[in-house]
Amino acid sequence: MLPSPFEIIFMPTIHVVGAGISGLSAAIRAARSGVRTIVYEAAGHAGGRARSFYDEKLGCIIDNGNHLLLGANKSTMTYLSDICAQDMVKEIRPAVFPFLDAKTGECWRIQPGRAIPPAWLFSKSRRVPNTRTIEYLNQANRLRTSGKLDTVAHAVGTASPLFEKLWQPLSKAALNTDAFEASAQLMWHVVRETFLKGEKACRPWYFHKGLDAALVRPAVSSLLRQGGEMHFKTRLRSMDTQFHRVTGLSFSEGTVSIDSDDAVILALPPEACTQIWPVAGAPSESKTILNVHFRLDNPIKLPWNLPFIGLINTEAQWIFVRDNIVSLTVSAANNLANRPNQEIASKLWREVGMAIQNVPAGLPLWRIIKERRGTFAQTPAQTNDRATASTSLSNLFLAGDWTNTGMPATIDGSVTSGFIASDKARAAIQSGMRGVS
């Protein structure tokens, strides 16, 4: 049930529309500060593009996609601490990133070390095979000095083995965009915050119990414990505005009045946000993320007994294992996603066989999940058009990994956007209350 528009409430309220990770992080931040917080979600569940669900075909709970955190993802670490879910992620230490080249059969690990001095780059066993230390330094510097219109490929060049064995997989993993299209400046952000800050900042953290157990259920529980409200299956249809403020939120179930001391955060995907607030300036292009989950009879192990491995010269970029579930991720998958599912599953299962020994020859049970709007297309043009959290309405703020956080559209970007929008909304409330007094 929606809050009554005639309900007399003297406490300023932050209304959060959207219960994806950006909306949840905004709501948690607001509720922890003591502000009354109400969340509205069109779906029947929270989590958005980072969720878990029971799949009847596989007979188990799976994530809609595979995600890694890094030690540098401070916003997400804060969020996990705020919702008491730190034990729902596991750290791999020291930092290591395993790779397999399907064409040559060669395996290697990238093992970052201290940032200053970057002595690890002088060790052949810790870097990409057949690469030189000077290449890393030169190409990182080219990213640092890249312009707003430069792509990753243009900035680092394509002649070195580093392009296909580091920059291309990193571009697709972090930016969900091919290196020939991806923003060099966003890639520089990734390099600056991870490799240039040393091994601890690069440590992978993985969701050993799934996304829902780490990011969603604890957040909903925490919000409700702090007096917040959650309204599912509540789709926003339009906003009423007057005098440069939001004055009402119109849902199918009715209209919620927005008091003069209230604030509104739209934590919606770009296309949904544009429908509600056409001048939002949301990116118009998106990239698909495709994940396929295979269920085996018994658990299996990847090389080096790590829970993931990167693939080179394959359709998929990453393989993840959790118990007897083997999952592959294909980023920037717009073309692949248009193929028949049976063809996709068969092709990717063959790639599993290249990386893991003694897997069954026959195709096991599988489930394909296509996030057609996995992220916005993180090209220079789309990146330069990202909207800020503040809007022309004094009590309306935007959150989402597509907003201008200066970061890639990742889980950490989502959380950061929620924090920014929440801080600005609380500042607007406090400013309004000072004005009244």
Side-chain angles (χ1 to χ4, degrees), residues 148-150 175 177 181-183 186 270-271 274 281-287 375-387 401-404 407:
K148 288 187 175 182
L149 299 180
D150 287 338
L175 307 183
T177 306
E181 302 178 276
S183 164
L186 276 184
E271 66 281 356
T274 300
S284 57
E285 299 177 18
S286 59
K287 295 290 185 180
T375 68
F376 79 96
Q378 295 173 79
T379 63
Q382 293 284 288
T383 298
N384 294 336
D385 287 341
R386 297 168 85 177
D401 60 10
W402 56 270
T403 59
N404 190 14
M407 304 167 60

Side-chain angles (χ1 to χ4, degrees), residues 290 292 294 315-316 328 330 344-352:
L290 184 149
V292 58
F294 298 101
E315 195 78 61
L328 281 78
V330 186
I344 296 171
S346 298
K347 179 178 179 62
L348 296 187
W349 181 245
R350 288 193 296 271
E351 295 183 355
V352 173

